[in-house]
Amino acid sequence: MTAFEAAAKPRGALAKIEAILKPHLPPQTHSAENAGTEAPKATISLGALSDLMQERAFGLLLLVLALPCCLPFVYILPQLVALPMVVLATQMAMGRRAPWLPETLRKRQLPVAGLLDVVSRAKRYGGWLERFAHPRFPSFTGDRANRVIGALLIVPCLSILVPLPLTNTVPGIGVALVAVGLIERDALFVVMGLIAALVWVAILVIGGPALIYFIINFALNRSAGA
């Protein structure tokens, strides 16, 4: 049985991702514990992760990459995953049925334990939402629709790429919802995710400059008054 066949049995996208990642954790050995040495941290390359996910790789990859962006107080991982998310969304928009990653991105190593921790936290705080996902309006998650979805996803993925406050959490949640919709063929989740992500980015684009203008004016008025 392949890793993907084992991952196909669990119900729900998060459980599928766990089933793919867990075999890549190193076994805990008593000798290492007795010696007081830390076991080597397991990593998985983005290319290997993509290969294991096979026909639903776009949805599963987007989900596993978006999860670190959804949760507060998760560092480093969002910076590692932002560019691959943009690449995946662009390929969806181009009509590719399976992801293709350049060698530099395929070689990018992701910490298995860190990803599993993020998945566990996502299940704890948002796993209840995933249970509502089931096939709905399948024509809106077909090949033609996926091109439109990919084009729209580029916007929140670019927002996550920007290293500024408030640019990754809500867009990350939106991308994660879209990914669950793609995996479960649920157009309702796709629409909810796109609306949440795009509206938030629009607020940032419109409200960000206005906030900066207000702060500058406030500072100038204070200095003039002094």
Short mmCIF file of all heavy atoms in Angstrom, two decimals, residues 77-119:
data_model
loop_
_atom_site.label_atom_id
_atom_site.label_comp_id
_atom_site.label_asym_id
_atom_site.label_seq_id
_atom_site.Cartn_x
_atom_site.Cartn_y
_atom_site.Cartn_z
N LEU A 77 7.51 29.13 9.11
CA LEU A 77 6.78 28.36 8.10
C LEU A 77 6.05 29.23 7.08
O LEU A 77 6.12 28.95 5.88
CB LEU A 77 5.80 27.40 8.78
CG LEU A 77 6.34 26.00 9.13
CD1 LEU A 77 5.31 25.21 9.89
CD2 LEU A 77 6.79 25.26 7.88
N PRO A 78 5.32 30.29 7.49
CA PRO A 78 4.65 31.12 6.47
C PRO A 78 5.61 31.68 5.43
O PRO A 78 5.28 31.76 4.25
CB PRO A 78 4.00 32.23 7.30
CG PRO A 78 3.75 31.62 8.62
CD PRO A 78 4.92 30.70 8.85
N GLN A 79 6.81 32.04 5.87
CA GLN A 79 7.80 32.56 4.92
C GLN A 79 8.29 31.47 3.95
O GLN A 79 8.65 31.75 2.82
CB GLN A 79 8.99 33.16 5.67
CG GLN A 79 8.71 34.50 6.35
CD GLN A 79 7.76 34.38 7.53
OE1 GLN A 79 7.92 33.47 8.35
NE2 GLN A 79 6.78 35.25 7.61
N LEU A 80 8.29 30.22 4.41
CA LEU A 80 8.73 29.12 3.56
C LEU A 80 7.69 28.74 2.50
O LEU A 80 8.03 28.27 1.42
CB LEU A 80 9.05 27.89 4.41
CG LEU A 80 10.31 27.93 5.27
CD1 LEU A 80 10.38 26.69 6.16
CD2 LEU A 80 11.55 28.02 4.41
N VAL A 81 6.42 28.93 2.84
CA VAL A 81 5.35 28.39 1.99
C VAL A 81 4.73 29.41 1.06
O VAL A 81 3.98 29.04 0.14
CB VAL A 81 4.24 27.75 2.86
CG1 VAL A 81 4.81 26.66 3.75
CG2 VAL A 81 3.52 28.80 3.72
N ALA A 82 4.97 30.70 1.26
CA ALA A 82 4.25 31.73 0.50
C ALA A 82 4.52 31.64 -1.00
O ALA A 82 3.58 31.64 -1.81
CB ALA A 82 4.62 33.12 1.03
N LEU A 83 5.80 31.55 -1.39
CA LEU A 83 6.11 31.51 -2.82
C LEU A 83 5.56 30.27 -3.51
O LEU A 83 4.98 30.38 -4.61
CB LEU A 83 7.62 31.63 -3.03
CG LEU A 83 8.10 31.67 -4.48
CD1 LEU A 83 7.47 32.84 -5.22
CD2 LEU A 83 9.63 31.74 -4.56
N PRO A 84 5.69 29.06 -2.93
CA PRO A 84 5.07 27.89 -3.58
C PRO A 84 3.56 28.04 -3.75
O PRO A 84 3.01 27.54 -4.75
CB PRO A 84 5.39 26.74 -2.61
CG PRO A 84 6.64 27.17 -1.92
CD PRO A 84 6.53 28.66 -1.79
N MET A 85 2.88 28.72 -2.83
CA MET A 85 1.44 28.93 -2.98
C MET A 85 1.13 29.78 -4.20
O MET A 85 0.19 29.51 -4.95
CB MET A 85 0.88 29.58 -1.71
CG MET A 85 0.85 28.66 -0.50
SD MET A 85 0.42 29.52 1.02
CE MET A 85 -1.28 29.96 0.69
N VAL A 86 1.94 30.82 -4.42
CA VAL A 86 1.75 31.66 -5.61
C VAL A 86 1.97 30.84 -6.88
O VAL A 86 1.19 30.93 -7.84
CB VAL A 86 2.72 32.86 -5.59
CG1 VAL A 86 2.61 33.67 -6.88
CG2 VAL A 86 2.43 33.77 -4.39
N VAL A 87 3.00 30.00 -6.87
CA VAL A 87 3.30 29.15 -8.03
C VAL A 87 2.14 28.19 -8.31
O VAL A 87 1.71 28.01 -9.46
CB VAL A 87 4.61 28.37 -7.81
CG1 VAL A 87 4.83 27.34 -8.91
CG2 VAL A 87 5.79 29.33 -7.74
N LEU A 88 1.60 27.56 -7.27
CA LEU A 88 0.49 26.61 -7.44
C LEU A 88 -0.76 27.31 -7.97
O LEU A 88 -1.43 26.79 -8.87
CB LEU A 88 0.18 25.93 -6.11
CG LEU A 88 1.22 24.94 -5.60
CD1 LEU A 88 0.90 24.52 -4.16
CD2 LEU A 88 1.31 23.72 -6.50
N ALA A 89 -1.10 28.47 -7.42
CA ALA A 89 -2.28 29.21 -7.88
C ALA A 89 -2.12 29.61 -9.34
O ALA A 89 -3.07 29.52 -10.14
CB ALA A 89 -2.50 30.44 -7.00
N THR A 90 -0.93 30.04 -9.72
CA THR A 90 -0.67 30.43 -11.10
C THR A 90 -0.83 29.24 -12.05
O THR A 90 -1.41 29.37 -13.14
CB THR A 90 0.75 31.01 -11.23
OG1 THR A 90 0.89 32.13 -10.34
CG2 THR A 90 1.02 31.47 -12.66
N GLN A 91 -0.36 28.08 -11.64
CA GLN A 91 -0.49 26.89 -12.48
C GLN A 91 -1.94 26.46 -12.62
O GLN A 91 -2.35 25.98 -13.69
CB GLN A 91 0.37 25.76 -11.92
CG GLN A 91 1.86 26.02 -12.07
CD GLN A 91 2.71 24.86 -11.60
OE1 GLN A 91 2.22 23.78 -11.34
NE2 GLN A 91 4.00 25.10 -11.49
N MET A 92 -2.71 26.59 -11.55
CA MET A 92 -4.15 26.31 -11.66
C MET A 92 -4.78 27.24 -12.69
O MET A 92 -5.60 26.82 -13.51
CB MET A 92 -4.83 26.48 -10.30
CG MET A 92 -4.59 25.36 -9.33
SD MET A 92 -5.48 25.64 -7.76
CE MET A 92 -7.19 25.61 -8.32
N ALA A 93 -4.42 28.52 -12.63
CA ALA A 93 -4.97 29.50 -13.57
C ALA A 93 -4.58 29.18 -15.01
O ALA A 93 -5.32 29.48 -15.95
CB ALA A 93 -4.51 30.90 -13.19
N MET A 94 -3.42 28.54 -15.18
CA MET A 94 -2.94 28.18 -16.52
C MET A 94 -3.58 26.90 -17.03
O MET A 94 -3.37 26.50 -18.18
CB MET A 94 -1.42 28.03 -16.50
CG MET A 94 -0.68 29.33 -16.26
SD MET A 94 1.09 29.07 -15.95
CE MET A 94 1.59 28.30 -17.50
N GLY A 95 -4.35 26.23 -16.17
CA GLY A 95 -5.06 25.03 -16.60
C GLY A 95 -4.34 23.72 -16.38
O GLY A 95 -4.77 22.68 -16.88
N ARG A 96 -3.25 23.72 -15.62
CA ARG A 96 -2.55 22.46 -15.33
C ARG A 96 -3.41 21.58 -14.44
O ARG A 96 -4.09 22.07 -13.53
CB ARG A 96 -1.21 22.73 -14.65
CG ARG A 96 -0.14 23.31 -15.57
CD ARG A 96 1.21 23.31 -14.88
NE ARG A 96 1.65 21.95 -14.60
CZ ARG A 96 2.37 21.21 -15.43
NH1 ARG A 96 2.73 21.69 -16.61
NH2 ARG A 96 2.73 19.99 -15.11
N ARG A 97 -3.38 20.28 -14.69
CA ARG A 97 -4.15 19.34 -13.88
C ARG A 97 -3.35 18.80 -12.71
O ARG A 97 -3.93 18.25 -11.77
CB ARG A 97 -4.65 18.19 -14.75
CG ARG A 97 -5.64 18.63 -15.81
CD ARG A 97 -6.33 17.44 -16.44
NE ARG A 97 -7.38 17.86 -17.35
CZ ARG A 97 -8.24 17.03 -17.92
NH1 ARG A 97 -8.16 15.73 -17.67
NH2 ARG A 97 -9.16 17.49 -18.76
N ALA A 98 -2.04 18.91 -12.78
CA ALA A 98 -1.18 18.46 -11.68
C ALA A 98 -0.08 19.50 -11.50
O ALA A 98 0.36 20.12 -12.47
CB ALA A 98 -0.57 17.09 -11.99
N PRO A 99 0.36 19.71 -10.27
CA PRO A 99 1.37 20.73 -10.03
C PRO A 99 2.71 20.36 -10.65
O PRO A 99 3.09 19.20 -10.71
CB PRO A 99 1.48 20.77 -8.50
CG PRO A 99 0.28 20.07 -7.99
CD PRO A 99 -0.10 19.08 -9.03
N TRP A 100 3.42 21.38 -11.11
CA TRP A 100 4.81 21.26 -11.49
C TRP A 100 5.60 22.30 -10.71
O TRP A 100 5.23 23.48 -10.69
CB TRP A 100 5.01 21.49 -12.98
CG TRP A 100 6.47 21.48 -13.35
CD1 TRP A 100 7.24 20.39 -13.64
CD2 TRP A 100 7.35 22.61 -13.43
NE1 TRP A 100 8.53 20.77 -13.89
CE2 TRP A 100 8.64 22.13 -13.77
CE3 TRP A 100 7.17 23.99 -13.24
CZ2 TRP A 100 9.73 22.97 -13.95
CZ3 TRP A 100 8.27 24.83 -13.40
CH2 TRP A 100 9.52 24.32 -13.76
N LEU A 101 6.62 21.84 -10.02
CA LEU A 101 7.42 22.74 -9.20
C LEU A 101 8.84 22.80 -9.74
O LEU A 101 9.43 21.76 -10.04
CB LEU A 101 7.45 22.26 -7.75
CG LEU A 101 6.11 22.24 -7.01
CD1 LEU A 101 6.26 21.56 -5.66
CD2 LEU A 101 5.57 23.65 -6.82
N PRO A 102 9.40 24.00 -9.87
CA PRO A 102 10.82 24.08 -10.27
C PRO A 102 11.70 23.40 -9.24
O PRO A 102 11.33 23.27 -8.07
CB PRO A 102 11.08 25.59 -10.33
CG PRO A 102 9.99 26.22 -9.54
CD PRO A 102 8.81 25.31 -9.64
N GLU A 103 12.87 22.98 -9.68
CA GLU A 103 13.73 22.18 -8.82
C GLU A 103 14.08 22.89 -7.51
O GLU A 103 14.20 22.26 -6.47
CB GLU A 103 15.01 21.80 -9.57
CG GLU A 103 15.78 20.64 -8.97
CD GLU A 103 14.98 19.36 -8.92
OE1 GLU A 103 14.06 19.18 -9.76
OE2 GLU A 103 15.24 18.52 -8.03
N THR A 104 14.23 24.21 -7.57
CA THR A 104 14.56 24.95 -6.35
C THR A 104 13.45 24.83 -5.31
O THR A 104 13.73 24.73 -4.11
CB THR A 104 14.80 26.43 -6.67
OG1 THR A 104 13.68 26.95 -7.41
CG2 THR A 104 16.07 26.62 -7.46
N LEU A 105 12.18 24.83 -5.77
CA LEU A 105 11.06 24.68 -4.84
C LEU A 105 10.87 23.22 -4.45
O LEU A 105 10.49 22.92 -3.32
CB LEU A 105 9.78 25.25 -5.44
CG LEU A 105 9.71 26.77 -5.59
CD1 LEU A 105 8.35 27.18 -6.16
CD2 LEU A 105 9.95 27.46 -4.25
N ARG A 106 11.11 22.29 -5.38
CA ARG A 106 10.97 20.87 -5.05
C ARG A 106 11.94 20.47 -3.93
O ARG A 106 11.63 19.61 -3.12
CB ARG A 106 11.23 20.00 -6.28
CG ARG A 106 10.09 19.94 -7.26
CD ARG A 106 10.35 18.93 -8.36
NE ARG A 106 10.45 17.58 -7.82
CZ ARG A 106 9.40 16.78 -7.59
NH1 ARG A 106 8.17 17.20 -7.85
NH2 ARG A 106 9.57 15.57 -7.12
N LYS A 107 13.10 21.11 -3.91
CA LYS A 107 14.10 20.77 -2.91
C LYS A 107 13.86 21.46 -1.57
O LYS A 107 14.52 21.13 -0.58
CB LYS A 107 15.50 21.15 -3.42
CG LYS A 107 15.99 20.28 -4.57
CD LYS A 107 17.37 20.72 -5.02
CE LYS A 107 17.89 19.85 -6.15
NZ LYS A 107 19.22 20.30 -6.63
N ARG A 108 12.92 22.40 -1.52
CA ARG A 108 12.68 23.13 -0.27
C ARG A 108 12.19 22.17 0.81
O ARG A 108 11.21 21.45 0.63
CB ARG A 108 11.66 24.24 -0.50
CG ARG A 108 11.38 25.10 0.71
CD ARG A 108 10.64 26.36 0.36
NE ARG A 108 11.45 27.26 -0.44
CZ ARG A 108 11.11 28.51 -0.74
NH1 ARG A 108 9.95 29.00 -0.32
NH2 ARG A 108 11.89 29.27 -1.47
N GLN A 109 12.88 22.17 1.93
CA GLN A 109 12.58 21.23 3.01
C GLN A 109 11.61 21.86 4.02
O GLN A 109 11.78 23.00 4.43
CB GLN A 109 13.87 20.82 3.73
CG GLN A 109 14.87 20.09 2.86
CD GLN A 109 14.36 18.71 2.43
OE1 GLN A 109 13.79 17.97 3.23
NE2 GLN A 109 14.59 18.36 1.17
N LEU A 110 10.60 21.08 4.40
CA LEU A 110 9.63 21.52 5.39
C LEU A 110 9.72 20.60 6.60
O LEU A 110 9.85 19.38 6.45
CB LEU A 110 8.21 21.49 4.80
CG LEU A 110 7.97 22.33 3.54
CD1 LEU A 110 6.57 22.09 3.02
CD2 LEU A 110 8.18 23.81 3.84
N PRO A 111 9.63 21.14 7.82
CA PRO A 111 9.72 20.30 9.01
C PRO A 111 8.45 19.47 9.21
O PRO A 111 7.36 20.03 9.33
CB PRO A 111 9.91 21.31 10.14
CG PRO A 111 9.30 22.57 9.62
CD PRO A 111 9.50 22.57 8.14
N VAL A 112 8.61 18.16 9.25
CA VAL A 112 7.44 17.28 9.37
C VAL A 112 6.73 17.50 10.70
O VAL A 112 5.50 17.63 10.75
CB VAL A 112 7.88 15.80 9.24
CG1 VAL A 112 6.69 14.87 9.48
CG2 VAL A 112 8.46 15.54 7.86
N ALA A 113 7.49 17.57 11.80
CA ALA A 113 6.87 17.77 13.11
C ALA A 113 6.14 19.10 13.18
O ALA A 113 5.05 19.20 13.76
CB ALA A 113 7.93 17.68 14.21
N GLY A 114 6.73 20.13 12.59
CA GLY A 114 6.09 21.44 12.59
C GLY A 114 4.79 21.43 11.81
O GLY A 114 3.78 22.00 12.25
N LEU A 115 4.78 20.77 10.66
CA LEU A 115 3.55 20.67 9.87
C LEU A 115 2.48 19.88 10.61
O LEU A 115 1.30 20.25 10.61
CB LEU A 115 3.85 20.03 8.52
CG LEU A 115 4.65 20.87 7.52
CD1 LEU A 115 4.99 20.04 6.29
CD2 LEU A 115 3.88 22.12 7.12
N LEU A 116 2.88 18.77 11.24
CA LEU A 116 1.91 17.96 11.99
C LEU A 116 1.34 18.74 13.17
O LEU A 116 0.16 18.60 13.50
CB LEU A 116 2.57 16.67 12.47
CG LEU A 116 2.76 15.58 11.41
CD1 LEU A 116 3.63 14.46 11.94
CD2 LEU A 116 1.41 15.03 10.96
N ASP A 117 2.17 19.57 13.80
CA ASP A 117 1.69 20.40 14.90
C ASP A 117 0.66 21.40 14.40
O ASP A 117 -0.38 21.62 15.04
CB ASP A 117 2.86 21.13 15.56
CG ASP A 117 2.41 22.03 16.69
OD1 ASP A 117 1.83 21.51 17.68
OD2 ASP A 117 2.60 23.26 16.60
N VAL A 118 0.91 22.00 13.26
CA VAL A 118 -0.03 22.96 12.67
C VAL A 118 -1.34 22.25 12.31
O VAL A 118 -2.43 22.77 12.57
CB VAL A 118 0.59 23.63 11.43
CG1 VAL A 118 -0.47 24.39 10.65
CG2 VAL A 118 1.71 24.58 11.85
N VAL A 119 -1.24 21.05 11.73
CA VAL A 119 -2.45 20.29 11.38
C VAL A 119 -3.24 19.94 12.63
O VAL A 119 -4.47 20.05 12.66
CB VAL A 119 -2.08 19.01 10.60
CG1 VAL A 119 -3.30 18.11 10.42
CG2 VAL A 119 -1.49 19.36 9.24
#
